[in-house]
C-alpha cells in the first residue's frame, strides 16, 4: 500500500524496527545520522537503501523538519556509500519515493541507490 507522505510517523514501520535492531538487515554503513543496508528485493545488481536515524516519514518531512546537521550528515552518507561501493565511475541512480503517486511503500524516508548495469530511462514506459 502506498504511503501518504503527510501522515504522522509510525514507529512500528519496518525501517524503524531495523533501526532498533528488532529485525535484521544486511548493513552496508552506519554513522551518527544514517544507516545503509541492502534492499531485500533488489531491482538492480546493486540496490542499497540509505535512511536517516531520525523519525521522518518522507523526503518532504525530512527537508521541512530535520536539522542542518541531520541533513548534511544524511546527504554525505548517501555519497559516501555510493563512493565506497565503487559506483561513481560506472554511475548510479538515486530515488526517494515520496507519497502516493510515487508508490512509496515504507513510511520512513529512504533513498534508493541503484547501480550495476545500465538502468535505462527514469520511468517505465
Ligand atoms: P519504496 O517503494 O520506495 O517505499 O521502497 C521500499 C523498499 O524497501 C522496497 O524496495 C523494498 O524491497 C524494501 N524493503 C522492504 N522491507 C525491507 C527489509 N526488511 N529490508 C530491506 N529492504 C526492505
Amino acid at each position: 500500500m502506498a504511503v501518504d507522505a503527510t501522515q504522522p510517523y509510525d514507529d512500528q514501520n519496518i525501517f524503524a524496527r531495523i533501526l532498533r535492531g528488532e529485525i535484521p538487515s544486511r548493513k552496508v554503513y552506519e554513522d551518527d545520522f544514517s544507516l545503509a543496508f541492502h534492499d531485500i528485493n533488489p531491482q538492480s545488481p546493486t540496490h542499497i537503501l540509505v535512511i536517516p536515524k531520525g523519525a521522518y516519514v518522507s523526503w518532504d518531512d525530512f527537508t521541512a523538519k530535520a536539522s542542518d546537521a541531520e541533513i548534511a550528515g544524511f546527504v554525505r552518507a548517501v555519497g559516501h556509500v555510493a563512493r565506497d561501493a565503487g559506483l561513481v565511475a560506472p554511475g548510479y541512480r538515486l530515488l526517494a519515493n515520496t507519497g502516493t503517486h510515487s508508490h512509496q511503500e515504507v513510511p520512513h524516508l529512504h533513498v534508493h541507490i541503484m547501480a550495476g548495469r545500465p538502468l535505462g530511462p527514469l520511468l517505465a514506459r
Side-chain angles (χ1 to χ4, degrees):
M1 220 217 3
V3 163
D4 171 357
T6 65
Q7 72 186 49
Y9 188 79
D10 169 12
D11 68 5
Q12 293 307 310
N13 79 75
I14 194 102
F15 294 168
R17 298 186 63 207
I18 285 176
L19 279 169
R20 290 195 296 265
E22 293 170 6
I23 58 169
S25 68
R26 288 176 55 218
K27 184 161 89 176
V28 172
Y29 174 77
E30 181 170 13
D31 64 24
D32 288 350
F33 296 110
S34 312
L35 176 70
F37 50 90
H38 291 283
D39 195 292
I40 205 167
N41 182 24
Q43 303 296 309
S44 51
T46 300
H47 188 170
I48 297 169
L49 302 174
V50 190
I51 67 175
K53 288 191 168 174
Y56 300 103
V57 174
S58 66
W59 183 261
D60 179 69
D61 193 23
F62 185 66
T63 55
K65 296 185 191 146
S67 68
D68 289 355
E70 286 175 293
I71 291 172
F74 180 66
V75 172
R76 285 197 189 280
V78 173
H80 173 84
V81 168
R83 228 168 6 255
D84 223 43
L87 303 180
V88 178
Y92 60 93
R93 179 171 292 163
L94 300 181
L95 183 69
N97 290 322
T98 304
T100 311
H101 277 190
S102 76
H103 210 270
Q104 181 182 358
E105 288 185 320
V106 179
H108 182 114
L109 170 62
H110 45 287
V111 168
H112 298 255
I113 302 177
M114 287 172 286
R117 63 170 169 79
L119 296 170
L122 178 57
L123 297 175
R125 291 164 202 269

